[in-house]
Amino acid sequence: MFRWLSRKVKFITHQKKEESTTDGQRRKQPESQKVSTRLNKNFTYMKAQFGENYDIIYRSFRVGKQIHYQAFLMAVDGMVEKTTINLNIIKPLMQVDLVDSGHDLMGYLKDSVISVIDIKEEEDMTRVVNQVVNGKVALFIEGEQKALLIGVQAWEMRGIEEPVTETVVRGPRDGFIENLQTNLSLVRRRIHHPHLRMEPMTIGTSTQTKVVVSYIKDIANEEIVKEVKRRLEEIQVDAILETGFIEEYIEDAPFSFFPTVSNTEKPDIVAARLLEGRVAIFVDGTPEVLTVPNLLISAFQIAEDYYSRPFYVSFIRIIRILAFLSSIILPGLYIASQNFHTELIPTPLLITMAEAREGVPFPLPFEVLFLNLMFEWLKESGVRMPRPIGQAVSIVGALILGESAVAAGLVGAPTVIVIAIVGITSFLVPALSDTISLLRLLFILIASVFGLYGIILLGIVIIAHLASLRSFGIPYSAPIFPITFKDWKDAMVRLPLWMLVSRPKVLRPANLIRQKWGGWVGGKDHREKK
């Protein structure tokens, strides 16, 4: 015990020393270098920063016909449009007449010569380097203490298509891709509102990943927006490669099985959540978009729920909730009823199940754990392998292995049926698939030791945990608890759209009213009376 405490104290002391050393190094860093009026000095600095890289383009040329200025530009090959550089930058600069250009050469070239929309002047060499690695062209001219940063980014990207994991029968089938500007435009196409904000920031000292925080100013709660920005700004890491990196840094309960940050690949879902008062986080290079705050009930709601009629939608939502509960509790109940509470099973069914398990050499908990593990293997192999092979593996595993195991007497047929039901129901709520797998394992283990009493005790612990969870200050389990009856109209069931007058109250939107009451117009007679 004392040895563990001494090691812990040494680790904390060493960590504090490293932090103080790092802070001292940051304070000792020199100020950023300015762009020099000497072209050779700027060229040497950029060469030192990028080294001998194959994909870095350097192009030296002269600006002007009569009066010549030596210049060079640089860019990253594969991230810029070369045709635009040739026709809109280099060619006009080489052919311009600079007799009456005046003393502000950079301003004249920017305003009257270079025909590109995205262009600005920059004096700091560090920012010039950062912009070049982000796909911009840097132009340096002899005698000028400024560089021009020209945006002609262009790179290969896949087309817009329906997300594989969020397919729908009715509704739009476009999905986000890996290009940030395209993703933002997909949301803009759906929300034509001048108060839709897209605020950029950069995270990652090495990757310099572009991140955009999106919200509707008159609808989203300002405190939530400020909290989202604060958490993003405090992320100090060298690389952000996907939204999963950001999700782990900003979530409220990092050790909880339940996700307090939602993600989706569908633009219509992001647009709907922005209109509810939530905040979206876009990350360049990934099709996943994060939305916060996240509620537990959101996992049982899909975009198609709002494109279909409310009666069937309400029925399907109840089915999803029952499937979630069955997927995590059913194996544990099966073990508890067989090993501890046989009096709960009708006698004919108990005899049939006992006959089915006759000759099985393994205890029931081990049997259930083994089949559950085999199901997880099949699911993971079906996802990771190529699609045609993955489907074949799933069919072979589900039919041949299961039937062979029963025929060989290694497992009982009732156990196979239970695991098959669990496997089917676990796919009905994909947003909680990871949570379902972990909770199911916990219920199996506790039911194997304590029976039904253990299941009830674990259920109480999970409910208490859900009641304590918060997502950016919003209760995660709302509107179930704390009870908010006003939001029940779009929770377990969905009322007709014309009855959804207000936005979810639990999200504390700045503008609660969505539409006026009495929006149904189908029964009104607008014909002229004779």
Side-chain angles (χ1 to χ4, degrees):
M1 182 66 180
F2 292 105
R3 187 177 300 172
W4 180 85
L5 287 174
S6 63
R7 288 200 301 265
K8 193 70 174 176
V9 171
K10 289 181 181 178
F11 172 78
I12 295 175
T13 306
H14 178 69
Q15 189 176 21
K16 288 183 177 180
K17 288 182 179 179
E18 287 184 345
E19 291 177 355
S20 61
T21 304
T22 304
D23 293 339
Q25 291 176 353
R26 290 176 180 174
R27 287 192 294 268
K28 293 178 182 178
Q29 285 180 352
E31 295 183 358
S32 300
Q33 182 174 334
K34 301 294 183 181
V35 176
S36 175
T37 55
R38 296 173 55 189
L39 192 64
N40 290 336
K41 188 175 181 180
N42 295 330
F43 185 81
T44 303
Y45 179 88
M46 300 301 286
K47 271 282 190 179
Q49 293 295 318
F50 289 95
E52 296 297 332
N53 281 313
Y54 174 75
D55 59 342
I56 301 298
I57 302 173
Y58 297 95
R59 174 67 163 89
S60 298
F61 60 97
R62 290 181 178 179
V63 177
K65 285 185 177 180
Q66 300 179 6
I67 302 177
H68 301 294
Y69 293 89
Q70 196 66 31
F72 81 91
L73 59 78
M74 63 173 301
V76 180
D77 193 11
M79 299 182 69
V80 295
E81 180 59 51
K82 292 183 179 179
T83 303
T84 304
I85 295 175
N86 295 332
L87 298 179
N88 299 77
I89 301 176
I90 296 180
K91 184 177 180 180
L93 288 175
M94 296 176 69
Q95 296 180 353
V96 65
D97 188 359
L98 296 176
V99 176
D100 300 323
S101 61
H103 62 280
D104 187 8
L105 178 60
M106 281 296 192
Y108 175 75
L109 297 178
K110 181 182 70 172
D111 299 334
S112 304
V113 179
I114 300 176
S115 54
V116 176
I117 295 177
D118 185 7
I119 181 172
K120 68 175 184 178
E121 300 177 7
E122 182 58 64
E123 298 180 356
D124 192 316
M125 291 294 285
T126 303
R127 286 197 285 267
V128 171
V129 172
N130 291 337
Q131 292 300 316
V132 169
V133 296
N134 282 319
K136 291 194 175 184
V137 175
L139 173 65
F140 298 88
I141 299 178
E142 180 70 37
E144 295 295 323
Q145 203 169 1
K146 296 178 182 178
L148 287 182
L149 296 175
I150 309 169
V152 288
Q153 295 97 323
W155 44 76
E156 295 296 328
M157 59 183 181
R158 66 184 178 94
I160 298 174
E161 55 190 15
E162 184 178 9
V164 178
T165 58
E166 297 180 83
T167 57
V168 295
V169 178
R170 180 178 180 179
R173 287 172 171 78
D174 55 343
F176 292 122
I177 61 174
E178 288 74 18
N179 183 267
L180 179 61
Q181 297 299 329
T182 302
N183 295 343
L184 298 179
S185 66
L186 289 175
V187 176
R188 285 282 186 186
R189 285 174 55 188
R190 288 168 168 81
I191 304 178
H192 303 154
H193 198 297
H195 291 167
L196 175 60
R197 298 289 186 259
M198 303 284 188
E199 300 182 0
M201 61 178 61
T202 302
I203 304 177
T205 56
S206 298
T207 58
Q208 294 289 312
T209 305
K210 294 180 181 178
V211 178
V212 173
V213 178
S214 179
Y215 61 95
I216 302 178
K217 184 178 180 181
D218 293 341
I219 297 178
N221 187 289
E222 292 184 3
E223 296 299 324
I224 295 178
V225 174
K226 290 179 181 178
E227 179 64 18
V228 172
K229 294 179 183 178
R230 183 193 66 81
R231 296 188 188 186
L232 291 175
E233 290 171 353
E234 290 184 359
I235 296 178
Q236 301 294 330
V237 67
D238 62 338
I240 295 292
L241 302 178
E242 212 270 341
T243 52
F245 285 67
I246 291 180
E247 180 177 352
E248 290 196 32
Y249 280 105
I250 67 173
E251 61 184 347
D252 291 69
F255 299 105
S256 174
F257 291 164
F258 294 88
T260 56
V261 178
S262 178
N263 63 83
T264 181
E265 292 185 47
K266 290 185 64 63
D268 53 330
I269 294 180
V270 172
R273 291 178 178 176
L274 288 174
L275 292 168
E276 286 182 344
R278 308 193 200 204
V279 181
I281 302 172
F282 296 81
V283 179
D284 193 18
T286 175
E288 298 284 346
V289 176
L290 303 179
T291 57
V292 293
N294 184 33
L295 303 179
L296 176 63
I297 197 64
S298 299
F300 304 96
Q301 301 169 342
I302 63 175
E304 198 171 351
D305 288 353
Y306 301 93
Y307 309 143
S308 304
R309 302 192 69 220
F311 306 105
Y312 181 72
V313 167
S314 301
F315 171 70
I316 291 299
R317 280 193 185 175
I318 295 174
I319 290 295
R320 293 190 197 112
I321 295 173
L322 294 177
F324 170 75
L325 297 176
S326 301
S327 183
I328 63 176
I329 298 178
L330 186 58
L333 283 176
Y334 174 62
I335 295 174
S337 60
Q338 285 281 75
N339 287 2
F340 297 92
H341 312 285
T342 54
E343 66 277 3
L344 298 177
I345 306 176
T347 303
L349 179 59
L350 182 63
I351 295 174
T352 302
M353 296 174 68
E355 291 177 352
R357 293 200 68 251
E358 185 178 0
V360 176
F362 305 109
L364 183 60
F366 178 81
E367 183 182 347
V368 173
L369 281 172
F370 171 73
L371 283 180
N372 182 70
L373 181 62
M374 189 173 70
F375 168 73
E376 295 294 337
W377 286 340
L378 290 173
K379 183 175 70 173
E380 190 68 15
S381 63
V383 171
R384 304 303 170 193
M385 296 182 69
R387 186 172 299 177
I389 303 177
Q391 293 176 353
V393 168
S394 300
I395 295 173
V396 169
L399 297 180
I400 298 179
L401 291 181
E403 184 177 353
S404 300
V406 174
L410 297 177
V411 296
T415 308
V416 176
I417 295 174
V418 169
I419 297 300
I421 294 174
V422 166
I424 294 172
T425 54
S426 63
F427 292 112
L428 267 68
V429 191
L432 296 176
S433 59
D434 300 343
T435 304
I436 289 173
S437 298
L438 296 174
L439 291 181
R440 183 194 306 136
L441 181 60
L442 289 181
F443 274 103
I444 291 175
L445 294 176
I446 199 167
S448 302
V449 179
F450 299 104
L452 186 60
Y453 302 105
I455 294 177
I456 295 174
L457 179 62
L458 181 58
I460 293 173
V461 171
I462 293 174
I463 292 175
H465 173 65
L466 288 173
S468 65
L469 274 182
R470 295 290 185 273
S471 177
F472 287 81
I474 304 299
Y476 180 69
S477 54
I480 310 303
F481 39 89
I483 297 176
T484 309
F485 289 111
K486 196 171 185 179
D487 292 340
W488 280 31
K489 58 183 179 294
D490 188 22
M492 284 77 71
V493 298
R494 179 182 78 78
L495 298 183
L497 292 177
W498 52 269
M499 296 184 67
L500 304 181
V501 178
S502 60
R503 296 181 174 86
K505 187 177 179 182
V506 296
L507 297 176
R508 301 199 296 267
N511 183 7
L512 186 62
I513 304 302
R514 179 182 306 184
Q515 61 180 330
K516 67 177 182 179
W517 176 256
W520 177 60
V521 296
K524 297 179 181 179
D525 192 354
H526 296 286
R527 294 176 298 176
E528 295 182 1
K529 295 182 179 180
K530 296 183 179 179

